[in-house]
Amino acid sequence: MANLLLDPNSEIAPNQSQARDRIRRLVWKIAIATLLLMAVGSATRVMNAGLACPDWPLCYGELVPTQQMNFQVFLEWFHRLDAGLIGLSTLVLVGLSTWHRRALPGWLPWASVGALGLIVFQGVLGGLTVTQLLRFDIVTAHLGTALLFFATLLAIAIALMPYRPTGSVGKLPWVGLVSAILVYGQSILGGLVGSQWALHQCLGYDRLCTVMNSHIAGVVPATLAILTLVVMAWRTPALHPTLRQLAQSAGLLLLLQIALGVATFYWRLQVELLTVSHQATGAALLGLLVAFTGLALRDRAKVGRSGVKFSGQCNVGSAQSPAPALRCHCEENQTDSRSV
């Protein structure tokens, strides 16, 4: 994944932009559909609809179980339908990346194949979730794979975005990476809490409290990492506007996620909308951190290759220019061969 973001061939010539733009738009659509898929999957679990279709891959032996259709069956059926469409779209992504491989970065076909492997594995886990009667470890692995697939799509999309570095990111890429890893771990712990109904077990029967408390304790390092990211981004004057907006958005989503978590705990998972929103917001927060880290790594890698260091004295935009521009005083980082 690091090669995907740091490859110097990531910048594509103008005559290659059409294929790049088409693939980038497709990847964004798949990523949005994946976020929706995770939200529907969460709703399926909290509405006790995970086994509403007792067989797999069909539902009551049919593509569309019209006779058995009710809200729970619809949730599970739609969840599978969305997953199937995402799988087909990923297959199209692999085809397009292979067909246009000479006009695209060399890593893109391989990254697409990797994404396809993840969604195939995700489908297998989905089938096992049903056949193994919602076994908690399989349900959690199902969520974890979906989040990895989502992050992979975002990394591909970010690597294909047009972007001009400012050279002022410093250590922000690593803070973003640590934040993303911590949020991913929190999401896995949250999946364990949900798949084992650990909140009810702990409060009602004094069981599985370790799982519940681990998820609660995990809020602290993830929160500190994201707040560090927000503060560092705020204190970096020449930071690219997109990175600044992503950092601010991550801070706002963090506050929303904590509020949703507290409300979910207070009402003991009895309000389905809160539970679904909590998981969906966590996935969106992970996505923002992956996007921030990807762009920051591109910023750092580009400046490292060009040998240009920006001093941090920047004026963003101007009254005369129609589009925002970043004007910075920079100095060349060149080594005098005579001193070697």
Side-chain angles (χ1 to χ4, degrees):
M1 192 63 64
N3 291 335
L4 181 154
L5 293 166
L6 300 178
D7 188 353
N9 296 323
S10 292
E11 292 187 9
I12 304 174
N15 60 344
Q16 303 167 346
S17 62
Q18 185 175 2
R20 178 197 61 190
D21 292 344
R22 181 187 304 173
I23 290 175
R24 188 178 71 247
R25 287 194 295 268
L26 175 61
V27 172
W28 278 119
K29 290 175 182 178
I30 300 174
I32 293 171
T34 302
L35 184 60
L36 174 63
L37 176 68
M38 289 186 285
V40 174
S42 177
T44 301
R45 180 183 58 80
V46 300
M47 297 296 295
N48 294 314
L51 297 176
C53 293
D55 49 345
W56 188 90
L58 299 177
C59 186
Y60 289 98
E62 299 178 359
L63 287 174
V64 183
T66 53
Q67 294 184 351
Q68 294 84 6
M69 189 65 74
N70 55 35
F71 183 65
Q72 289 182 314
V73 172
F74 174 79
L75 278 177
E76 174 64 12
W77 173 80
F78 184 78
H79 182 62
R80 297 184 188 185
L81 175 65
D82 191 13
L85 292 175
I86 289 173
L88 290 175
S89 299
T90 308
L91 194 59
V92 172
L93 173 63
V94 172
L96 288 175
S97 301
T98 304
W99 181 263
H100 296 289
R101 63 186 181 279
R102 294 184 180 179
L104 295 170
W107 54 261
L108 185 54
W110 296 104
S112 302
V113 170
L116 180 62
L118 283 174
I119 197 62
V120 169
F121 183 56
Q122 173 76 348
V124 172
L125 289 174
L128 290 174
T129 298
V130 175
T131 59
Q132 297 299 312
L133 304 178
L134 305 181
R135 213 173 79 186
F136 77 92
D137 52 344
I138 297 176
V139 172
T140 305
H142 190 51
L143 171 63
T145 306
L147 290 170
L148 282 178
F149 177 69
F150 181 54
T152 300
L153 292 173
L154 290 175
I156 294 173
I158 290 299
L160 293 175
M161 277 181 57
Y163 180 74
R164 292 192 177 188
T166 64
S168 60
V169 291
K171 296 181 180 180
L172 279 172
W174 315 122
V175 179
L177 180 61
V178 170
S179 300
I181 293 173
L182 289 174
V183 170
Y184 179 79
Q186 266 296 89
S187 299
I188 298 301
L189 285 173
L192 282 172
V193 171
S195 61
Q196 294 183 281
W197 297 98
L199 178 59
H200 297 86
Q201 295 284 343
C202 182
L203 296 180
Y205 307 101
D206 199 26
R207 293 182 299 186
L208 297 177
C209 290
T210 301
V211 176
M212 185 69 239
N213 293 332
S214 297
H215 184 54
I216 295 174
V219 173
V220 177
T223 298
L224 291 177
I226 296 173
L227 290 178
T228 301
L229 179 72
V230 173
V231 172
M232 288 179 64
W234 175 64
R235 297 187 63 181
T236 304
L239 192 66
H240 194 285
T242 302
L243 286 173
R244 194 179 303 280
Q245 291 169 5
L246 286 171
Q248 292 171 351
S249 299
L252 292 175
L253 271 187
L254 171 66
L255 296 177
L256 175 61
Q257 179 71 340
I258 292 174
L260 288 171
V262 171
T264 300
F265 183 88
Y266 180 79
W267 276 290
R268 302 193 179 189
L269 302 178
Q270 297 302 311
V271 182
E272 290 85 358
L273 181 60
L274 282 176
T275 305
V276 174
S277 299
H278 186 51
Q279 181 169 328
T281 303
L285 178 58
L286 175 63
L288 279 177
L289 294 171
V290 169
F292 180 93
T293 303
L295 280 181
L297 284 172
R298 286 184 62 185
D299 199 305
R300 184 183 181 91
K302 176 66 177 178
V303 172
R305 289 195 304 272
S306 64
V308 177
K309 181 181 179 182
F310 291 84
S311 66
Q313 298 175 353
C314 296
N315 296 319
V316 180
S318 68
Q320 290 80 17
S321 90
L326 214 57
R327 298 178 174 83
C328 300
H329 303 288
C330 62
E331 55 185 13
E332 292 291 340
N333 244 351
Q334 300 177 342
T335 302
D336 191 346
S337 60
R338 292 172 297 181
S339 64
V340 178

